[in-house]
DNA sequence: TCTGGGGTCCTAGGACCC
DNA sequence: TCTGGGGTCCTAGGACCC
C-alpha cells in the first residue's frame, strides 16, 4: 500500500515482503522493477480505514472494560477486573474481530503499554504463529530482551539507538541494565520512562478520554511543481478550507495560523523553505480562515522566493485551536458553516466551497490506484456476482 | 513527472518581569 | 577578582510515533 500522493510504500503483505519490497521504497522506482510486475499497488484510502477502525473499536468495547484507540489500526485494551485465562480471552477477541469486522489482528499482552507493544510486535512477526504473544511474566521477557534490538522498542528511534550504540548498548537487556543517570544524560527524561516501562513499572496509564487536539495541520505535496504565486494562493485557500472542516468537526476554533512551504528535497534545485505564523481572531469559519489578516505579510514574506526557478514541494496550513466557537457574527457564521458541512457530508467533500477554491487542481494529490470506499459510499458498495 | 501526512513531547535559549 | 536570582512565556528545533 502506498502513502499519500502515491509516494512511497507504507504497508506490505507477507508476499510483498518476500519479494524484497521495503518500507518507504519510492513507488516510482519499485513499480518499474521487472520482478514486481504482478504486484497489486493500492493508494491509501482513509475513509475506508477510518470506518473499519470504528467497527473494530465498537467490537472491542463489547469484550473488554477499557479500549483506548492509539492510532487508526492500534488500540490499547485494559483487561482490568477480567478473571481467568487472558491468552484464551485474547484469542477469542481476535477471532471475533476476524469473523465480524473481517480484520486480521495480533494481540500483545503485558503489564505496561510498552511491553504490550513489544509483545504485539513479536506476535506480528511470527508468520505462522497464533497471533497472540504473552509477555506478562518477567521469565517470558528475559529471552526476548536478550535477543531483540533496543530499536524495536516503542519510543526508541534511530537517533537514540545511534547514541546508545556508541556506548555499546544494543539489546533491550543492555538498555535496562544502564544506570538511570547515564540514561537521563543521553536520552533526557523521555528516555528514563522507557526502561521503567520495560521492567513492568507503568508510566503511561490508559486514559479514558481522548485528549483535546493541540494543533491542526493540513499538509500536502504537490502532484507537480508549483512555481507561481497565484497557484500558491489557491493552495493556501484549499488547505485553509480543509483546516476549517477539521476545526468544526472537533468543536474547536483557531487562534493562530502558520503557513509553511519548502522546495523538493530530492532534486538538485537549491533548497528553500519558509514559514509565517500570525495570530487571528478566534474562528472556525472557512471564509475567515481564507481571508486571515496575516495574508498580506504572508505574501510579502513568502514572495521573497518568487522568481526563483525551483518548484515548491509542499505547503502546510496549521492552526492553534481553542475549544470554543466564537466569531464576529456567531449565529450567521454557524448557520453558513453548518450548511456547508452538511452539503459536503451528503454529496462529497468539495461539492460546496468558496469561489476561489478549485475542486481538482492539476497540482493536486495523485491517487492512481484507489481501492473503493466499500463501506462509506453507496456508489462503491462491494458487488458479489454468482457464476 | 514521480520520494506521505498528521500528530505529540521535550529542550535550549532569549526576552521579559520583579 | 567580583556584574542577583528566580520565575514565566515564547519560539525553534529535534526526536519520536503511526
Amino acid at each position: 500500500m502506498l502513502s499519500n500522493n502515491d509516494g512511497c510504500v507504507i504497508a506490505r503483505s507477507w508476499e510483498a515482503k518476500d519479494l524484497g519490497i521495503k518500507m518507504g521504497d519510492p513507488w516510482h522506482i519499485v513499480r518499474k522493477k521487472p520482478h514486481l510486475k504482478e504486484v497489486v499497488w493500492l493508494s491509501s484510502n482513509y475513509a475506508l480505514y477510518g470506518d473499519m477502525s470504528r467497527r473494530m473499536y465498537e467490537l472491542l468495547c463489547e469484550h473488554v472494560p477499557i479500549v483506548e484507540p492509539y492510532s487508526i489500526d492500534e488500540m490499547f485494551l485494559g483487561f482490568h477486573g477480567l478473571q481467568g485465562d487472558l491468552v484464551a480471552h485474547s484469542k477469542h477477541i481476535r477471532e471475533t474481530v476476524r469473523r465480524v469486522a473481517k480484520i486480521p489482528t495480533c494481540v500483545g499482552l503485558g503489564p505496561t503499554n510498552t511491553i504490550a507493544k513489544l509483545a504485539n510486535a513479536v506476535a506480528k512477526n511470527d508468520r505462522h504463529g497464533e497471533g497472540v504473544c504473552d509477555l506478562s511474566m518477567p521469565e517470558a521477557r528475559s529471552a526476548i530482551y536478550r535477543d531483540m534490538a533496543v530499536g524495536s522498542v516503542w519510543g526508541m528511534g534511530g537517533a537514540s539507538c545511534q547514541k546508545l550504540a556508541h556506548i555499546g548498548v544494543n539489546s533491550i537487556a543492555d538498555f535496562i541494565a544502564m544506570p538511570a543517570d547515564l540514561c537521563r544524560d543521553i536520552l533526557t527524561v523521555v528516555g528514563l520512562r522507557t526502561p521503567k516501562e520495560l521492567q513492568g513499572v507503568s508510566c503511561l496509564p490508559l486514559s479514558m478520554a481522548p485528549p483535546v487536539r493541540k494543533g491542526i495541520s493540513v499538509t500536502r505535496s504537490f502532484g507537480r511543481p508549483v512555481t507561481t504565486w497565484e497557484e500558491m494562493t489557491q493552495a493556501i485557500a484549499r488547505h485553509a478550507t480543509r483546516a476549517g472542516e477539521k476545526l468544526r468537526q472537533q468543536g474547536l476554533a483557531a487562534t493562530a495560523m502558520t503557513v509553511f512551504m519548502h522546495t523538493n528535497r530530492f532534486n538538485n534545485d537549491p533548497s528553500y523553505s519558509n514559514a509565517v505564523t500570525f495570530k487571528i481572531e478566534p474562528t472556525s469559519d472557512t471564509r475567515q480562515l481564507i481571508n486571515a489578516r496575516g495574508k498580506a505579510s504572508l505574501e510579502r514574506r513568502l514572495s521573497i522566493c518568487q522568481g526563483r526557478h525551483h518548484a515548491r514541494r509542499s505547503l502546510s496550513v496549521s492552526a492553534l485551536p481553542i475549544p470554543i466557537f466564537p466569531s464576529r457574527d456567531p449565529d450567521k457564521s454557524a448557520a453558513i458553516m453548518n450548511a456547508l458541512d452538511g452539503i459536503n457530508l451528503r454529496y462529497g467533500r468539495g461539492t460546496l466551497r468558496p469561489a476561489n477554491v478549485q475542486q481538482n487542481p492539476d497540482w493536486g494529490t495523485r491517487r492512481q490506484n484507489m481501492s473503493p470506499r466499500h463501506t462509506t459510499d453507496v456508489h462503491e458498495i462491494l458487488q458479489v456476482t454468482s457464476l
Side-chain angles (χ1 to χ4, degrees), chain A residues 19 27 33-34 37 154 158-159 161 174 179 232 257 286 327 373 382 387:
Chain A
L19 287 168
W27 184 47
K33 297 197 171 165
K37 262 206 322 227
W154 184 42
C161 290
D174 294 342
M232 284 301 286
M257 266 174 87
T286 297
S327 160
R373 289 164 290 189
L382 191 63
L387 295 171

Side-chain angles (χ1 to χ4, degrees), chain A residues 372-385:
Chain A
R373 289 164 290 189
H374 296 306
T375 61
T376 53
D377 190 316
V378 74
H379 304 295
E380 298 180 15
I381 286 177
L382 191 63
Q383 292 184 14
V384 181
T385 319

